[in-house]
Amino acid sequence: MHKRPYHHGDLAAALLARAEEMLREKGSDALSLRELARDLGVSPAAPRRHFTTKQALLDALALTGFERLTAAIATAQDGAGRTFPEQLDATARAFVGFAAANGALLDLMFSAKHSPEASEELGGAALRWVQQGLDMVAEGQRRGEVRAGDLERVALTVFAPLQGYIGLAASGVVAPEVAEEGLDDVIASVVRACRPD
Amino acid sequence: MHKRPYHHGDLAAALLARAEEMLREKGSDALSLRELARDLGVSPAAPRRHFTTKQALLDALALTGFERLTAAIATAQDGAGRTFPEQLDATARAFVGFAAANGALLDLMFSAKHSPEASEELGGAALRWVQQGLDMVAEGQRRGEVRAGDLERVALTVFAPLQGYIGLAASGVVAPEVAEEGLDDVIASVVRACRPD
DNA sequence: CCTACATTGTTTGCATCGCCTACATTGAGA
DNA sequence: TCTCAATGTAGGCGATGCAAACAATGTAGG
């Protein structure tokens, strides 16, 4: 078996890919830089050439998470009808689907503990996700399908139920069959709640 | 300064109290059994006489969290009017208040990673919290103030928005002023969403 | 009151971790 | 071709969780 050349080639990308697998397998608590290094056949200190701290790696993971979430939702919205209920339905299912496949990554994304130096880039990605949601609600308001009012406040009432559904489903506090069928109810309740008077 | 007697007296309770302070100060990632032991003036191995693993201590914390959350909500409900909107308002504010004061503890409570041996007692406490919510929604249905339907599914549409609001407010993804004023909107949207047709 | 045992401490050790510094290899650009 | 930047390695430090063996003491029963 040939020994790997001294330069890995693209260790940064490999670390992120393997870290995501480990996140999915074991959760963020068990994610370990040394184990990542072992898995990739490099020394324990090699990851530090690409991510100065463990937290920096986690922040990079959260960043890719927001990028992929935003992309998944955009794709779902493109393939849906143009009414607000149709757009919301597509958005909600894409969001929940992403959460089902990437629960630990989502936790990481919405965790309050990001390092300050990551705030700008990571914050930018989070903001694009937020803006995407605001755009959908704004379009609904323009079409007269969503109640009037401050855009951010109305959007909060749209996305809080989805976020909460995801959290409750993931925590196991809600029975799996209730969670499975309950998404339809949650989406319908959001549509009812923000329907103009 | 007098050396502590060999027996601490009530090390288990002291560990839980200090662990909660540390959770609040630093989050669950930074919670350390050795530091707890140092803070309480015992050796590093002493905590293991009361909690066999760090996870066992975290599970015990989550258990007390559910007990206190359930108690806080019961107290708020007792002091509120009897209509569903009044009961929901009281419940929501108690829940959000608890979350504001105990963000990291709430994360711990709803974290998917509890040890199997803790499942029964911790699960029982979580179930009592769930039942409390189901009771409130059931009473609303009896009074004709909440739409008919499967109780658990209707309750999910009531509590998902609250849970999501808490998560979004805590994560910083939502602007603080939007979060502060947005609770009224979220509560109102829940009432609208589950009003009978 | 004394003894035995259970409860609850301590000491010592192991394996792992994150992070760091100094040094080594090699790829790229001038 | 040479220099420097990028990216590895080796070795070390201080911390962690967990474990086994031993020590101190509180309690219950005879």
Coordinates of all heavy atoms in Angstrom, one line a residue, chain C residues 2-14:
Chain C
dC2 P -17.3 0.6 73.5 OP1 -16.3 0.4 74.6 OP2 -17.2 1.8 72.7 O5' -17.2 -0.7 72.5 C5' -17.8 -1.9 72.9 C4' -18.1 -2.7 71.6 O4' -19.4 -2.3 71.1 C3' -17.1 -2.5 70.5 O3' -16.9 -3.8 69.9 C2' -17.8 -1.6 69.5 C1' -19.3 -2.0 69.7 N1 -20.3 -1.0 69.3 C2 -21.4 -1.4 68.7 O2 -21.6 -2.6 68.4 N3 -22.4 -0.5 68.4 C4 -22.2 0.8 68.7 N4 -23.2 1.7 68.4 C5 -21.0 1.2 69.4 C6 -20.1 0.3 69.7
dT3 P -15.5 -4.0 69.1 OP1 -14.7 -5.0 69.9 OP2 -15.0 -2.7 68.6 O5' -16.1 -4.8 67.8 C5' -17.3 -5.7 67.9 C4' -18.0 -5.7 66.6 O4' -18.9 -4.6 66.6 C3' -17.2 -5.7 65.4 O3' -17.7 -6.6 64.5 C2' -17.4 -4.2 64.9 C1' -18.8 -4.0 65.3 N1 -19.2 -2.6 65.4 C2 -20.5 -2.2 65.0 O2 -21.3 -3.0 64.5 N3 -20.8 -0.9 65.1 C4 -20.0 0.1 65.7 O4 -20.4 1.2 65.8 C5 -18.7 -0.4 66.1 C7 -17.7 0.6 66.7 C6 -18.4 -1.7 66.0
dA4 P -16.7 -7.3 63.4 OP1 -16.4 -8.6 63.8 OP2 -15.6 -6.3 63.1 O5' -17.7 -7.3 62.1 C5' -19.1 -7.5 62.4 C4' -19.9 -6.8 61.3 O4' -20.1 -5.5 61.6 C3' -19.2 -6.8 59.9 O3' -20.2 -7.1 58.9 C2' -18.7 -5.4 59.8 C1' -19.7 -4.6 60.6 N9 -19.3 -3.3 61.1 C8 -18.1 -3.0 61.6 N7 -18.0 -1.8 62.1 C5 -19.2 -1.2 61.8 C6 -19.8 0.0 62.0 N6 -19.1 1.0 62.6 N1 -21.0 0.3 61.6 C2 -21.7 -0.8 61.0 N3 -21.3 -2.0 60.8 C4 -20.0 -2.2 61.2
dC5 P -19.8 -7.6 57.5 OP1 -20.4 -9.0 57.4 OP2 -18.4 -7.4 57.3 O5' -20.6 -6.7 56.6 C5' -21.9 -6.2 57.1 C4' -22.2 -4.8 56.5 O4' -21.6 -3.8 57.3 C3' -21.7 -4.6 55.1 O3' -22.8 -3.9 54.4 C2' -20.5 -3.7 55.3 C1' -21.0 -2.9 56.4 N1 -20.0 -2.1 57.2 C2 -20.3 -0.8 57.7 O2 -21.4 -0.3 57.4 N3 -19.3 -0.1 58.3 C4 -18.1 -0.6 58.5 N4 -17.2 0.1 59.2 C5 -17.8 -2.0 58.1 C6 -18.7 -2.6 57.4
dA6 P -22.9 -4.1 52.8 OP1 -23.9 -5.2 52.6 OP2 -21.6 -4.2 52.2 O5' -23.6 -2.7 52.5 C5' -24.5 -2.2 53.5 C4' -24.5 -0.7 53.4 O4' -23.4 -0.2 54.2 C3' -24.3 -0.1 52.0 O3' -25.2 1.0 51.9 C2' -22.9 0.4 51.9 C1' -22.6 0.7 53.4 N9 -21.2 0.5 53.8 C8 -20.4 -0.5 53.6 N7 -19.2 -0.4 54.1 C5 -19.2 0.8 54.7 C6 -18.2 1.5 55.5 N6 -17.0 1.0 55.7 N1 -18.6 2.7 55.9 C2 -19.8 3.2 55.7 N3 -20.8 2.6 55.0 C4 -20.4 1.4 54.6
dT7 P -25.4 1.8 50.5 OP1 -26.9 2.0 50.3 OP2 -24.6 1.1 49.4 O5' -24.7 3.2 50.8 C5' -25.0 3.8 52.0 C4' -24.1 5.0 52.2 O4' -22.8 4.5 52.6 C3' -23.9 5.8 50.9 O3' -24.1 7.2 51.2 C2' -22.4 5.5 50.5 C1' -21.8 5.2 51.9 N1 -20.6 4.4 51.9 C2 -19.5 4.8 52.7 O2 -19.5 5.8 53.4 N3 -18.4 4.0 52.7 C4 -18.3 2.8 52.0 O4 -17.3 2.1 52.1 C5 -19.5 2.4 51.2 C7 -19.5 1.1 50.4 C6 -20.5 3.2 51.2
dT8 P -24.1 8.3 50.1 OP1 -25.0 9.3 50.6 OP2 -24.3 7.6 48.8 O5' -22.6 8.8 50.1 C5' -22.1 9.3 51.4 C4' -20.6 9.6 51.3 O4' -19.9 8.3 51.3 C3' -20.2 10.3 50.0 O3' -19.2 11.3 50.3 C2' -19.5 9.2 49.2 C1' -18.9 8.4 50.3 N1 -18.3 7.1 50.0 C2 -17.1 6.7 50.6 O2 -16.5 7.4 51.3 N3 -16.7 5.5 50.2 C4 -17.3 4.6 49.4 O4 -16.8 3.5 49.1 C5 -18.6 5.0 48.8 C7 -19.3 4.1 47.9 C6 -19.0 6.2 49.2
dG9 P -19.3 12.7 49.7 OP1 -20.2 13.4 50.6 OP2 -19.6 12.6 48.2 O5' -17.8 13.3 49.9 C5' -16.7 12.9 49.1 C4' -15.6 12.3 49.9 O4' -15.9 10.9 50.1 C3' -14.3 12.4 49.2 O3' -13.6 13.5 49.5 C2' -13.6 11.1 49.7 C1' -14.7 10.2 50.1 N9 -14.8 9.0 49.2 C8 -15.9 8.7 48.4 N7 -15.8 7.6 47.8 C5 -14.5 7.2 48.1 C6 -13.8 6.0 47.8 O6 -14.1 5.1 47.0 N1 -12.5 5.9 48.4 C2 -12.0 6.8 49.3 N2 -10.8 6.6 49.8 N3 -12.7 7.9 49.6 C4 -13.9 8.0 49.0
dT10 P -12.5 14.1 48.6 OP1 -12.0 15.3 49.2 OP2 -12.9 14.0 47.2 O5' -11.3 12.9 48.7 C5' -10.7 12.7 50.0 C4' -9.5 11.8 49.8 O4' -9.9 10.5 49.3 C3' -8.5 12.3 48.7 O3' -7.2 12.2 49.2 C2' -8.7 11.4 47.5 C1' -9.2 10.1 48.2 N1 -10.1 9.3 47.3 C2 -9.8 8.1 46.8 O2 -8.7 7.6 47.1 N3 -10.7 7.5 46.0 C4 -11.9 8.0 45.6 O4 -12.6 7.3 44.9 C5 -12.2 9.3 46.1 C7 -13.5 9.9 45.8 C6 -11.3 9.9 46.9
dT11 P -5.9 12.9 48.4 OP1 -5.0 13.4 49.4 OP2 -6.5 13.8 47.4 O5' -5.3 11.6 47.7 C5' -5.0 10.4 48.4 C4' -4.4 9.4 47.5 O4' -5.5 8.7 46.8 C3' -3.5 9.9 46.4 O3' -2.3 9.0 46.4 C2' -4.3 9.8 45.1 C1' -5.2 8.6 45.4 N1 -6.5 8.7 44.7 C2 -6.9 7.5 44.0 O2 -6.3 6.5 44.1 N3 -8.1 7.6 43.4 C4 -8.9 8.7 43.3 O4 -10.0 8.7 42.7 C5 -8.4 9.9 44.0 C7 -9.2 11.2 44.0 C6 -7.2 9.8 44.6
dT12 P -1.0 9.5 45.6 OP1 0.1 8.9 46.4 OP2 -1.1 10.9 45.2 O5' -1.1 8.6 44.3 C5' -1.4 7.2 44.4 C4' -1.8 6.6 43.1 O4' -3.2 7.0 42.8 C3' -1.0 7.2 41.9 O3' -0.3 6.1 41.3 C2' -2.0 7.8 40.9 C1' -3.3 7.1 41.4 N1 -4.5 7.8 41.1 C2 -5.6 7.2 40.5 O2 -5.5 6.0 40.2 N3 -6.7 7.9 40.3 C4 -6.9 9.3 40.7 O4 -7.9 9.9 40.4 C5 -5.7 9.9 41.3 C7 -5.8 11.4 41.7 C6 -4.6 9.2 41.5
dG13 P 0.7 6.3 40.0 OP1 1.8 5.4 40.2 OP2 1.0 7.8 39.9 O5' -0.2 5.9 38.8 C5' -1.0 4.7 38.9 C4' -1.9 4.5 37.7 O4' -3.0 5.4 37.9 C3' -1.3 5.0 36.4 O3' -1.3 4.0 35.5 C2' -2.1 6.2 36.0 C1' -3.4 5.9 36.7 N9 -4.2 7.1 37.0 C8 -3.9 8.2 37.7 N7 -4.8 9.1 37.7 C5 -5.9 8.6 37.0 C6 -7.2 9.1 36.8 O6 -7.7 10.1 37.1 N1 -7.9 8.1 36.0 C2 -7.5 6.9 35.6 N2 -8.4 6.1 35.0 N3 -6.3 6.4 35.9 C4 -5.5 7.3 36.6
dC14 P -0.5 4.0 34.1 OP1 0.2 2.7 34.0 OP2 0.2 5.3 34.0 O5' -1.7 4.0 33.0 C5' -2.8 3.2 33.2 C4' -3.9 3.5 32.2 O4' -4.6 4.6 32.8 C3' -3.3 4.0 30.9 O3' -4.0 3.3 29.9 C2' -3.6 5.5 30.8 C1' -4.9 5.6 31.8 N1 -5.0 6.9 32.4 C2 -6.2 7.6 32.3 O2 -7.2 7.0 31.7 N3 -6.4 8.8 32.9 C4 -5.3 9.3 33.6 N4 -5.5 10.5 34.1 C5 -4.1 8.7 33.6 C6 -4.0 7.5 33.1

